[in-house]
Amino acid sequence: MTLRVGVHPNNLHLQLAALTWPGGWPANVPDVKFVAYREGRDTGRLIADDVIDVGGTGSTPPLLAQHDGVPLVYLAASAPRGANGAIVVRSSAGPDDVRGLAGRRIALLDGSFHTSFLAAALERDGLSLRDVERVELAPADAYRALDEDRVDAWIAMAPWLSRVRDEASRWRVLTDIGAYVANRSVFWAHRDALDQHRTTLDAVFAALTALGRDVTNDPAPYAQRLADAGISGADAATWRTSLAARDWQLHVCDGAFYDEQQSEADLLHRHGDLSRPLDIRQTEPPAPLNFSAAASTH
């Protein structure tokens, strides 16, 4: 039975795997195929509809999927990425701090890690998601909307955040994500897929681990692949900066990870985006994956 691995542009481990191995996974990762789709927020629905078996997203989509009854398990997670997200305003206008976001229009990808980041930042200053207007916009559209004063703030992420930092005269960062949430990439699957494909999943994540080492050692060719594929509309130089700044290690989900997910679920429940509390420990696998012996990426 073939393991179906979902791929979308915002999970760079899986997107780069699909671009690096366009004909399929390496020979030591048998009977696995890529299934492309538009964005990470579709992952839970595609798993529930039996279109894919496993996917990778930020930390928020699996919480929403669990809330919707998807029988998921967590497989692996990246290191924290505290620099890959920020609330950005125009340098010449906009609020001076997070508290000043009250009543403002904020561009984001709602239902992604953007939502949890925004909720955590607002809560620390005594506000909630109900105190702002969330505006759903793709990153390129959000960049233009902020520039044109159609929104008051924007939650930016790689590779656009590299551009924001390079254009410091135009933009001002109110706060970075690392002060609020860990911002990991999270890999998760239907519980049945883990039961049926455990050995294959070990090989998949060994291959992804090795791929991450290759990107760390020489990000330039991988940046070019992303640029050539038109991912996020960024050029190779912008992608190289983003890839070089990223920690590409993958880890088996441990107690600290589950505590982070529980804290985020509780946060979203307090802000009303989850109608009921979640018990994250229900998503633990009976035994963790073992992908320490990395496969070749070529």
Side-chain angles (χ1 to χ4, degrees):
M1 184 181 297
T2 300
L3 176 70
R4 300 158 300 176
V5 177
V7 179
H8 63 88
N10 287 333
N11 185 279
L12 294 182
H13 256 105
L14 294 174
Q15 182 65 74
L16 282 174
L19 294 174
T20 302
W21 309 312
W25 290 74
N28 55 351
V29 190
D31 208 18
V32 181
K33 73 173 183 178
F34 295 112
V35 178
Y37 59 104
R38 190 170 66 89
E39 61 165 270
R41 293 176 295 178
D42 296 330
T43 304
R45 175 181 58 80
L46 294 175
I47 288 176
D49 291 347
D50 196 31
V51 176
I52 63 174
D53 300 302
V54 58
T57 66
S59 56
T60 306
L63 300 177
L64 301 177
Q66 183 184 355
H67 182 265
D68 289 342
V70 179
L72 65 93
V73 289
Y74 289 105
L75 303 176
S78 75
R81 291 174 175 152
N84 185 29
I87 300 176
V88 177
V89 297
R90 293 181 303 283
S91 60
S92 59
D96 295 326
D97 52 29
V98 172
R99 174 166 282 280
L101 293 173
R104 306 278 189 145
R105 291 168 54 83
I106 302 173
L108 76 168
L109 297 174
D110 210 8
S112 72
F113 77 84
H114 294 190
T115 304
S116 297
F117 171 26
L118 179 60
L122 291 170
E123 185 172 278
R124 190 171 295 185
D125 274 83
L127 302 172
S128 81
L129 290 173
R130 301 176 184 88
D131 294 313
V132 299
E133 181 181 351
R134 290 179 270 178
V135 180
E136 173 69 23
L137 286 173
D141 296 329
Y143 178 93
R144 287 191 293 271
L146 184 60
D147 190 37
E148 296 167 2
D149 199 21
R150 290 183 283 115
V151 296
D152 303 295
W154 167 36
I155 298 183
M157 61 182 180
W160 285 89
L161 189 51
S162 296
R163 180 171 175 176
V164 165
R165 297 192 195 282
D166 287 343
E167 299 174 346
S169 63
R170 299 181 64 189
W171 314 110
R172 180 160 43 89
V173 171
L174 282 188
T175 188
D176 286 295
I177 193 171
Y180 303 96
V181 295
N183 191 28
R184 302 178 190 267
S185 288
V186 179
F187 299 85
W188 42 294
H190 195 287
R191 185 171 291 274
D192 290 346
L194 178 62
D195 295 337
Q196 296 165 5
H197 300 284
R198 178 176 286 272
T199 300
T200 302
L201 284 165
D202 281 335
V204 163
F205 283 95
L208 292 175
T209 298
L211 176 63
R213 285 202 302 267
D214 284 356
V215 178
T216 299
N217 292 335
D218 186 9
Y222 297 96
Q224 191 64 56
R225 287 171 191 168
L226 291 169
D228 290 346
I231 304 301
S232 293
D235 61 21
T238 301
W239 270 122
R240 190 186 185 287
T241 299
S242 294
L243 298 185
R246 180 176 289 240
D247 185 334
W248 287 89
Q249 296 179 82
L250 294 179
H251 307 279
V252 172
C253 299
D254 59 10
F257 167 81
Y258 287 104
D259 288 345
E260 288 172 5
Q261 288 297 97
Q262 187 65 63
S263 177
E264 186 173 333
D266 294 344
L267 171 75
L268 292 176
H269 181 237
R270 288 195 300 274
H271 286 253
D273 275 34
L274 297 180
S275 64
R276 58 180 174 81
L278 300 181
D279 180 0
I280 300 303
R281 293 289 178 171
Q282 293 177 353
T283 62
E284 286 189 75
L289 294 181
N290 178 17
F291 51 88
S292 57
S296 169
T297 61
H298 303 291

